[in-house]
Amino acid sequence: MSDASNLFHVSSVLNRRSIAQHGLDWTRMGAARGIAGSRRPEVEGIFISRGEEEAGFFLQINNTGGPADLWSVDGIDEGSLLDNGNGFVYLPSRIPAARVCLVRSDIPPQHDF
């Protein structure tokens, strides 16, 4: 398994407590909209950014109604990531709290694209 430390997840700050306690779990969605503004999970899995540039794109499209957090994700085999059909990838399983780390918090909506 290739342990890539350049994987990230972007989420509303409203999800911070849940992520810190339970990890990344799409079945717990509800405290805030998805980063693209969806009210329900778009896939049964967790969207992952491959690198800081891609994470920056997700920060730019933040449509949660407030600031976002950037989480690093460790211990994921990149070969297990699936394409959602739009060029973005997701992991079709939950990610335990022990594998995520908050790296930036309270990033204001950017909308400068």
Side-chain angles (χ1 to χ4, degrees):
M1 177 165 84
S2 64
D3 184 8
S5 59
N6 65 334
L7 300 178
F8 299 95
H9 178 77
V10 176
S11 181
S12 167
V13 298
L14 298 176
N15 297 324
R16 186 183 302 156
R17 183 177 296 171
S18 177
I19 293 170
Q21 184 175 2
H22 304 287
L24 297 167
D25 182 347
W26 72 93
T27 67
R28 293 182 173 275
M29 185 175 177
R33 291 181 282 180
I35 206 69
S38 58
R39 299 227 179 252
R40 297 184 301 167
E42 296 176 29
V43 296
E44 290 187 3
I46 305 300
F47 279 99
I48 300 293
S49 298
R50 297 166 291 193
E52 293 183 37
E53 185 175 321
E54 193 170 296
F57 170 78
F58 281 98
L59 288 167
Q60 285 183 329
I61 67 164
N62 175 8
N63 195 19
T64 64
D69 287 337
L70 179 64
W71 298 82
S72 67
V73 181
D74 294 319
I76 302 301
D77 178 0
E78 287 194 56
S80 62
L81 298 174
L82 302 177
D83 190 308
N84 76 334
N86 292 322
F88 300 109
V89 296
Y90 68 97
L91 184 69
S93 62
R94 294 168 181 88
I95 302 172
R99 291 193 174 173
V100 298
C101 178
L102 184 62
V103 292
R104 284 185 57 203
S105 60
D106 301 304
I107 304 164
Q110 298 175 12
H111 303 298
D112 59 350
F113 54 96

